């Protein structure tokens, strides 16, 4: 049931409204929270929600049951996730047939369905709630605190957990300078990758001449494997809006933009709904909460170009021009969007602001390391057991993220490297796993914090191939404006391509390093300047592997086609003849029920035999 | 006025002027390709990299658009700056190996050749500096050409790569092209001018007196439109080549004297 919405004229009215919302929430006996984050939705969670709705309608129970869709819980590996209140019982990998049982046993009966609980593979212990799961235990959630708890399409839900109280505090009890001072005390650094101190940017923009001023939320997340900002926009859009409104008040801006890629339809939808609701309640628009401060936000959808995550390219795109960066000798806080003072921060940065205003800069600064404060959201993906979204305090070691939270490498294989920082980042090997996650520490290792992509790689990963992959991505995403990026990346990729095809030459590594230095020194924007990082970091830590490719024409991870051989294990081969029939070049011979053989002179190493063999008798050597 | 010290030569410049302006004033040569005084600087080619002193470190910046706001030490011929410019030139030579103009500039920069193969060939011998596009938009006001494609696939093209209706065949793009890729071709048999490689053609205006080709007709039309000078004699003279026009004017003057 919805409560009559009204325009909240001042903070008192907001608190009164909040009290009404909370009272209504208190009357609900049972709540079923179904995750509709993109990961769970892809596994059919929207249908689960419908089934819970049907079950509630059919049951005719006389207690009030609320089914709600919530944002990403982070444990995407185990989706779809359904949580039942009271008790916060955490069900994972829920399928359609499970709904009836959950409804009957847990919602109505108050009993736990054991088989749907998460069971720790090491200890065999079943976890009833999130807190019992190792994946969540080492995490500390500020930005993601309400994800999975609230319906992202309900401003009432956000208000019920104390939402917009930071805005009310900022507008009534704080001067703009005070807010900036608080953010400064917190030591908040930009979460988009650069790690620039947010307060310094805000102050520069506040002090810049020119009017109007703009604030922008950069939601153009585009690193391969990254979905941090997406999940925040999808799961808790009001936290982003609240942060932006507070920031705009501190900076002295009346117009904001959220730039979000069109490939994030759910984020766009939830942000649209949130903006509409905030306007309706008077939290956006003229004279917000009677403070005399006015601010509004528009959503602009981007076409999905990676380079548009770069601030000047993003602003060009917002202006309706091609998304190409320009020199930043004159900062965007002075001359940004439409040549006016503009403050741009990333989604996660904005989402941290309400908590800082509410709990104080000192509290925030108490988390993390000397120069990196607070928490950081990472999307933990790759060859790791628990893939998903994790929020950890700065200063936690990579090892704890990979092993404790991530549960180690999949399939019991050996860990090889973790890639952080997206395409501009680098690969960190096992010997540096005890490094603390911190802006400066990661940069020191030749990688970077970036926006929070974290890809775990196992022993079967070829590092030359990884470097080639990222460079290929950047070649596709380079805008082509400046010479070094457009030509230099293509030249580097050409060399890597040769190496992975067994045509590497002596001196190739030197050539790569020369090009990397050239890109770093002369490219126009950060995309080009940092594009060589994946290559440099893999050469730095896996030089031997490059040399094996170049000198011995061998790919030790057996990934690069042509740099390893396929052989038939005579013991395992049953002589079924499937490989022989499927070999496109007739390189396999052998009698029926006898071990077969591959003629290496004919074999093109296409790998068809390996795929087709039902007995795993084909070996890569 | 801030003082700029370029390779030891101190000069005062207006605030917000560029390092390139200062270098001109100081008589220090910095190579440029995508820079032209008639249009805005975009610093796309990166051939004008120089080093500036940042106190505890030195930064490579592009001279053509780095604005001077305070006293600045600039190093044009430091090893790092020279190496950076040469590196960029080597990449450009790989892209446009046949350009005579580019080779000449390379020689002046002590670049003997390129160690790189040609791997990007979206547009033959074009270095994608974009001067032609900016001239067409900013100086001529036509925007007949633009960038199409992205990254290594980028090209300078007319819309849909068809002869553009907006092109007035003025040839400004060819005049500013630093590598000689854009050419003005005459087709005497049809009395047409072609802007290559954009495939646009226009009839030439022919002198009514001597038959010499003067200018592309759309250009003449645009000039007459802009001038808005309602004097029949002016319009008549506009259809003459400069030499015949001078003769006509001289004749008119002597006539006037006699009368």
């Amino acid at each position: 049931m919805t409560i009559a919405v009204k325009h909240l004229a001042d903070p008192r009215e907001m608190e009164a409204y909040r009290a009404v919302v909370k009272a209504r929430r208190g009357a609900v006996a049972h709540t079923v929270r179904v995750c509709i984050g993109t990961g769970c939705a892809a596994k059919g969670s929207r249908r689960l929600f419908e089934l819970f709705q049907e079950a509630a309608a059919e049951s005719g129970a006389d207690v009030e049951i609320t089914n709600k869709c919530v944002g990403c819980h982070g444990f995407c590996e185990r989706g779809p996730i359904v949580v039942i209140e009271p008790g916060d019982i955490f069900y994972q990998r829920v399928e359609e047939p499970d709904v009836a049982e959950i409804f009957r046993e847990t919602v109505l009966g108050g009993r736990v369905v054991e088989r749907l609980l998460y069971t720790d593979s090491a200890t065999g212990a079943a976890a009833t709630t999130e807190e019992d799961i190792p994946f969540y235990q080492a995490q500390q959630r500020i930005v993601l605190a309400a994800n999975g708890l609230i319906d992202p399409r309900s401003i009432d839900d956000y208000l019920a957990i104390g939402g917009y109280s930071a805005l009310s505090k900022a507008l009534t009890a704080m001067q703009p300078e005070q807010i900036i001072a608080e953010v400064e005390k917190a030591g908040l650094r930009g979460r988009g990758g650069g790690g620039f101190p947010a307060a310094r940017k805000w102050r520069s923009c506040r002090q810049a001449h020119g009017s109007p001023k703009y604030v922008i939320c950069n939601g153009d997340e585009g690193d391969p494997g990254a979905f941090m900002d997406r999940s925040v926009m999808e799961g808790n859009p009001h936290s982003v809006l609240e942060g932006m409104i507070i920031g705009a008040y501190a900076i002295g801006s009346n117009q904001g933009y959220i730039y979000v890629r069109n490939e994030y339809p759910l984020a766009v939808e939830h942000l649209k709904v949130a903006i509409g609701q905030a306007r309706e309640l008077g939290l956006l628009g003229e004279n917000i909460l009677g403070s005399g401060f006015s601010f509004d936000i528009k959503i602009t959808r981007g076409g999905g170009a990676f380079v548009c995550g770069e601030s000047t390219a993003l602003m060009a795109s917002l202006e309706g021009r091609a998304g190409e960066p320009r020199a930043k000798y004159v900062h965007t806080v002075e001359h940004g969007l439409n040549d006016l003072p503009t403050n741009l921060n990333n989604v996660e940065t904005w989402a941290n602001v309400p908590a800082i205003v509410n709990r104080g800069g000192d509290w925030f600064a108490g988390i993390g390391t000397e120069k990196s404060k607070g928490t950081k959201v990472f999307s933990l993906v790759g060859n790791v057991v628990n893939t998903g979204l994790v929020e950890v305090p700065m200063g936690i070691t990579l090892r704890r993220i990979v092993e404790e939270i991530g549960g180690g490498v999949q399939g019991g294989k050996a860990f090889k490297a973790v890639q952080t920082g997206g395409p501009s980042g680098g690969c960190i090997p096992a010997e540096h796993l005890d490094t603390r996650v911190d802006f400066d520490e990661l940069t020191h290792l030749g990688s970077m914090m970036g926006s929070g992509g974290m890809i775990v790689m196992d022993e079967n990963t070829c590092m030359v191939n990884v470097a080639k992959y990222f460079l290929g991505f950047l070649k596709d995403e380079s805008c082509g404006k400046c010479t070094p990026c457009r030509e230099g990346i293509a030249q580097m990729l050409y060399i890597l391509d040769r190496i992975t095809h067994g045509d590497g030459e002596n001196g190739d590594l030197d050539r790569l390093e020369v090009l990397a230095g050239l890109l770093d020194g002369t490219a126009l924007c950060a995309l080009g300047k940092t594009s060589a990082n994946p290559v440099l970091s893999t050469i730095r830590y896996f030089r031997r592997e490059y040399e094996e490719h170049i000198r011995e024409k061998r790919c030790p991870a057996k990934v690069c086609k042509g740099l390893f051989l396929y052989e038939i294990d005579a013991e395992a081969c049953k002589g079924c003849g499937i490989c022989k029939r499927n070999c496109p070049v007739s390189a396999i011979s052998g009698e029926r029920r006898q071990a077969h053989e591959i003629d290496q002179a004919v074999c093109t190493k296409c790998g068809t035999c390996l795929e087709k063999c039902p007995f795993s008798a084909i070996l890569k050597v | 006025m801030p003082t700029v010290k370029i390779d030891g030569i101190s000069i005062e410049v207006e605030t917000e002027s560029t390092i390139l302006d200062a270098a001109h004033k100081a008589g220090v040569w910095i190579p440029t390709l995508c820079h032209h005084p008639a249009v805005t600087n975009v610093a796309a080619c990166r051939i004008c990299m120089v080093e500036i002193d940042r106190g505890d470190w030195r930064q490579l910046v592009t001279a053509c658009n780095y604005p001077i706001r305070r006293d600045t030490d600039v190093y044009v011929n430091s090893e790092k700056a020279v190496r950076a410019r040469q590196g960029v030139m080597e990449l450009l030579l790989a892209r446009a190996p046949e350009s005579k103009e580019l080779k000449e500039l390379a020689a002046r920069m002590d670049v003997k050749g390129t160690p790189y193969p040609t791997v990007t060939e979206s547009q033959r011998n074009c270095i994608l500096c974009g001067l032609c596009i900016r001239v067409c938009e900013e100086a001529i006001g036509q925007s007949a050409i633009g960038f199409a494609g992205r990254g290594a696939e980028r090209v300078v093209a007319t819309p849909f790569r068809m002869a553009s209706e907006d092109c007035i065949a003025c040839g400004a793009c060819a005049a500013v092209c630093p590598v000689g890729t854009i050419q003005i071709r005459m087709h005497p048999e049809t009395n047409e001018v072609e802007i290559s490689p954009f495939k646009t053609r226009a009839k030439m205006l022919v002198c009514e007196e001597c038959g010499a080709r003067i200018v592309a007709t759309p250009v003449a039309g645009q000039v007459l439109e802009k001038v808005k000078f309602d004097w029949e004699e002016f319009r008549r003279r506009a259809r003459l080549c400069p030499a015949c026009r001078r003769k006509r004017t001289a004749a008119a003057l002597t006539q006037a004297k006699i009368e």
Side-chain angles (χ1 to χ4, degrees), chain B residues 97-117:
Chain B
E98 288 156 34
S99 166
K100 185 169 69 72
E101 289 84 345
L102 199 62
K103 279 184 206 156
E104 281 168 8
L105 185 64
R108 207 176 158 190
M109 292 167 65
D110 280 331
V111 177
K112 308 270 183 298
T114 179
Y116 307 115

Side-chain angles (χ1 to χ4, degrees), chain A residues 305 324 327 329-330 334 475-484 486-488 490-491 494 514-515 518 521-524, chain B residues 42-46 49 60-62 65-67 69 84 87-88 91-92 94-95 116-117 119-120 127-128 150-152 154:
Chain A
E324 288 170 8
Y329 301 139
V330 178
E334 289 176 51
K475 183 183 173 229
D476 288 345
E477 294 295 339
S478 164
C479 75
K481 178 175 177 175
C482 80
T483 308
R486 183 186 65 233
E487 309 296 330
Q491 293 290 353
Y494 176 76
V514 165
L515 280 163
L518 186 63
T522 63
L524 196 159
Chain B
V42 294
C45 73
R46 319 302 283 178
M49 304 293 312
L60 281 168
V61 298
T62 40
N65 71 339
Y66 186 89
R69 292 175 155 188
V88 172
L91 288 174
L92 289 173
R95 182 178 177 92
Y116 307 115
V119 295
T120 52
I127 58 163
L128 299 169
R150 193 171 69 173
R154 183 180 253 226

Side-chain angles (χ1 to χ4, degrees), chain A residues 381-404:
Chain A
V381 296
N383 309 121
V384 65
V385 174
N386 301 325
T387 56
L389 209 59
V390 304
E391 184 173 353
V392 289
M394 297 274 193
I396 192 173
T397 61
L398 285 167
R399 185 182 301 284
R400 287 192 69 195
I401 299 180
V402 174
E403 293 177 2
E404 267 182 55

Side-chain angles (χ1 to χ4, degrees), chain A residues 220-241:
Chain A
D220 191 61
E221 178 176 63
D223 297 3
F227 52 102
M228 301 78 54
D229 296 344
R230 169 183 209 155
S231 297
V232 175
M233 290 187 284
E234 286 178 0
N236 192 357
H238 283 289
S239 67
V240 181
L241 302 189

Side-chain angles (χ1 to χ4, degrees), chain A residues 339-410:
Chain A
D339 213 23
L340 290 162
T342 306
N343 183 92
L344 176 141
N345 284 116
N346 140 288
V347 171
E348 194 184 329
T349 315
W350 288 120
N352 267 303
V353 173
I356 291 172
V357 169
N358 261 336
R359 302 167 78 168
D362 286 330
W363 161 79
F364 192 83
I367 307 163
T369 63
E370 194 197 338
K371 285 186 176 161
S372 302
K373 303 297 187 187
T375 59
K376 179 75 195 84
V377 183
F378 288 100
S379 53
L380 187 61
V381 296
N383 309 121
V384 65
V385 174
N386 301 325
T387 56
L389 209 59
V390 304
E391 184 173 353
V392 289
M394 297 274 193
I396 192 173
T397 61
L398 285 167
R399 185 182 301 284
R400 287 192 69 195
I401 299 180
V402 174
E403 293 177 2
E404 267 182 55
I405 301 174
V409 177
Q410 276 173 356

